[in-house]
Amino acid sequence: MPRTPARPDPTTLPDPLRLPWRPPATPDQPGHPSGVPRTPPGDPRREPGWAAGLPEAGAADRRLIEAQIGRDVRGSVAVAARCRYGLPAVVRTAPLLPDGTPFPTLYWLACPAARVAVGRLEAAGWNAVLSERVATEPDLAAAHAAAHASYLAQRDAMAPLAGDPGVGGLPGRVKCLHALYAHHAATGADPVGRIVGQVVDPVDCPGPCVGPGTRNDP
């Protein structure tokens, strides 16, 4: 039987105020001491139509996702990111359920181990600390707002929602680290999700969470 993911003592966690939120510079990017300053090519995952273009999850993936989250999958879903075992890690959902109900969260964290890891950060009070950091660091606030705009653009490419409802506290605060980390894991476009990823990644995964031979065999 697989072991459960580790839950380290919160006092061993790094200071969320000190973790960088910008992507690390590479030799191809401005700011790298040995590189030639130039603009790197854009990440296609950040394009407005990228989420809409993901292939619909087949029956096998839907069963895996349902086993991971412990409930039925409603409406259109696609796998936006996979774990090292090839299982769904982040799921892209549809902004409207089949009955027309709005569903503002475009990216859901399916990986159980990642949910545990992010949950311990929330339990340690990171939401409030990172909300304060966004409020006091203008560059981070601008990047946080840009992530919100990117999120809405991808969601609108599928189905615009009345009032442009935000997700995870965007753009003014940090409400749900799971949603922001899922956005980062799927697209690389979320600065707060990137902060979370520096603690969560690589996910402390005890092995394939679903599939043949596991307790959650779909």
Side-chain angles (χ1 to χ4, degrees):
M1 180 181 297
R3 65 176 176 83
T4 57
R7 291 177 179 266
D9 186 331
T11 61
T12 67
L13 294 172
D15 183 352
L17 298 177
R18 293 181 174 273
L19 291 173
W21 57 266
R22 293 181 174 87
T26 70
D28 293 334
Q29 293 178 317
H32 191 283
S34 64
V36 177
R38 64 185 178 87
T39 302
D43 187 331
R45 298 176 301 164
R46 304 184 185 192
E47 295 298 322
W50 180 79
L54 290 172
E56 183 73 17
D61 272 335
R62 289 179 74 95
R63 289 195 297 270
L64 290 171
I65 295 164
E66 289 174 345
Q68 288 175 312
I69 66 177
R71 60 180 182 274
D72 291 341
V73 172
R74 297 183 294 170
S76 171
V77 296
V79 177
R82 293 184 183 272
C83 72
R84 58 183 175 271
Y85 300 107
L87 299 172
V90 179
V91 176
R92 185 229 69 201
T93 61
L96 292 171
L97 296 178
D99 63 1
T101 301
F103 200 78
T105 304
L106 188 63
Y107 297 111
W108 277 92
L109 194 56
C111 169
R115 293 201 303 270
V116 169
V118 176
R120 68 183 174 87
L121 301 185
E122 291 194 336
W126 277 43
N127 304 66
V129 174
L130 289 173
S131 287
E132 182 64 21
R133 184 174 178 182
V134 168
T136 57
E137 295 185 24
D139 287 351
L140 176 56
H144 192 54
H148 180 239
S150 175
Y151 200 107
L152 293 186
Q154 290 197 336
R155 196 176 65 195
D156 286 350
M158 297 188 67
L161 297 181
D164 291 336
V167 174
L170 291 165
R173 60 193 178 99
V174 176
K175 180 181 178 182
C176 180
L177 296 184
H178 292 86
L180 302 184
Y181 172 73
H183 185 210
H184 164 69
T187 69
D190 197 291
V192 174
R194 188 174 298 114
I195 292 172
V196 172
Q198 291 176 67
V199 183
V200 171
D201 298 325
V203 174
D204 179 32
C205 182
C209 57
V210 292
T214 69
R215 289 176 298 173
N216 297 322
D217 186 348

